[in-house]
Amino acid sequence: MNATDTAMPAAADTPQTIDPHAAAPIRITRRGIWIGVGVIVFAIVFAFASIYARRTRLERTRQFFGAPWITAVQLADQVQLLPGPDADFEPVKLTATPGLGHLRRALLDERHYQWDTVTDGSVADISGDDAIHMTLQFSDPIGRRVDKTTIPMELSEGWIGTGDGRQRVRVKPRVQSALEFQLKMMKDVSQQTTDQRDP
């Protein structure tokens, strides 16, 4: 027996073992590319549609209240809740109150109003045992970007009036209940804080 008979076979001659757990090589097809492009396009369109649906719509609100009113609600850095003719509480500063952004949006978005209820006259003309009159005041004493703007409201029925008292419009029921709850809560919390400070 010579040395060549006992030599180990060359590496090229050994059979290759296949790992059953190894992933098959990925092949990118034209159909796969088009599916990927379609998914990306759908995601972009959906994102823009979502942004558009959530954006505050101002066209009808601007027509009714006026552009200065819109600017004041958007930019004023000082916000106060004032008592109406049938209310008795101290003015409440809402400037740093949580939820103020939601309040601004509730007032601004045209979809929150029932535009077929527009009526001539002041919110103060609405009377009754259940009437709840309050006024929001927006001002910007530091930046002076907007004039002082008042928003008279009757919360039990959801009426919002123009500052000059010429017209009023109702908000939708879900907005009315949210406004009434939020503003009454802000008033009560502020009143409790004031009472605790008094000796």
Side-chain angles (χ1 to χ4, degrees), residues 81 88-92 94 132 134 180-196:
L81 181 64
D88 183 20
F89 61 89
E90 294 296 319
V92 179
L94 305 180
I132 305 170
M134 294 185 186
E180 181 179 358
F181 174 80
Q182 185 176 17
L183 293 176
K184 287 174 72 174
M185 180 184 65
M186 289 175 173
K187 175 184 72 69
D188 293 341
V189 168
S190 175
Q191 187 62 55
Q192 290 174 7
T193 304
T194 303
D195 293 343
Q196 290 172 0

Side-chain angles (χ1 to χ4, degrees), residues 80-85 89 133-137 149-153:
Q80 279 192 308
L81 181 64
L82 307 175
F89 61 89
H133 289 93
M134 294 185 186
T135 299
L136 281 170
Q137 179 178 277
T149 301
T150 58
I151 304 176
M153 301 176 295

Side-chain angles (χ1 to χ4, degrees), residues 5-197:
D5 295 334
T6 59
M8 295 294 292
D13 299 333
T14 57
Q16 296 291 324
T17 58
I18 299 175
D19 184 359
H21 301 292
I26 298 174
R27 289 171 41 184
I28 300 175
T29 64
R30 183 173 295 174
R31 182 171 178 264
I33 292 173
W34 281 112
I35 290 174
V37 171
V39 169
I40 292 172
V41 170
F42 175 80
I44 293 171
V45 170
F46 182 80
F48 276 103
S50 177
I51 292 170
Y52 178 79
R54 288 181 297 180
R55 123 186 127 83
T56 304
R57 298 183 188 173
L58 304 173
E59 290 78 11
R60 295 290 300 274
T61 320
R62 183 180 288 109
Q63 290 174 8
F64 184 76
F65 292 106
W69 187 96
I70 296 289
T71 306
V73 176
Q74 287 176 326
L75 299 180
D77 61 4
Q78 299 290 325
V79 185
Q80 279 192 308
L81 181 64
L82 307 175
D86 55 357
D88 183 20
F89 61 89
E90 294 296 319
V92 179
K93 292 183 179 180
L94 305 180
T95 303
T97 305
L100 186 56
H102 294 293
L103 177 61
R104 291 181 195 262
R105 182 171 181 180
L107 294 169
L108 288 168
D109 200 314
E110 67 180 27
R111 292 168 292 187
H112 294 166
Y113 294 88
Q114 302 180 69
W115 294 110
D116 57 348
T117 65
V118 171
T119 308
D120 291 337
S122 171
V123 167
D125 296 338
I126 300 171
S127 59
D129 295 337
D130 297 330
I132 305 170
H133 289 93
M134 294 185 186
T135 299
L136 281 170
Q137 179 178 277
F138 292 82
S139 60
D140 193 36
I142 299 175
R144 297 182 180 178
R145 297 164 293 183
V146 297
D147 294 330
K148 186 178 293 185
T149 301
T150 58
I151 304 176
M153 301 176 295
E154 196 291 304
L155 297 177
S156 68
E157 296 183 9
W159 288 98
I160 309 291
T162 56
D164 57 14
R166 292 183 181 179
Q167 286 187 306
R168 58 182 183 255
V169 62
R170 290 185 75 172
V171 294
K172 293 182 176 178
R174 63 180 181 84
V175 179
Q176 176 270 325
S177 59
L179 281 175
E180 181 179 358
F181 174 80
Q182 185 176 17
L183 293 176
K184 287 174 72 174
M185 180 184 65
M186 289 175 173
K187 175 184 72 69
D188 293 341
V189 168
S190 175
Q191 187 62 55
Q192 290 174 7
T193 304
T194 303
D195 293 343
Q196 290 172 0
R197 289 176 182 169

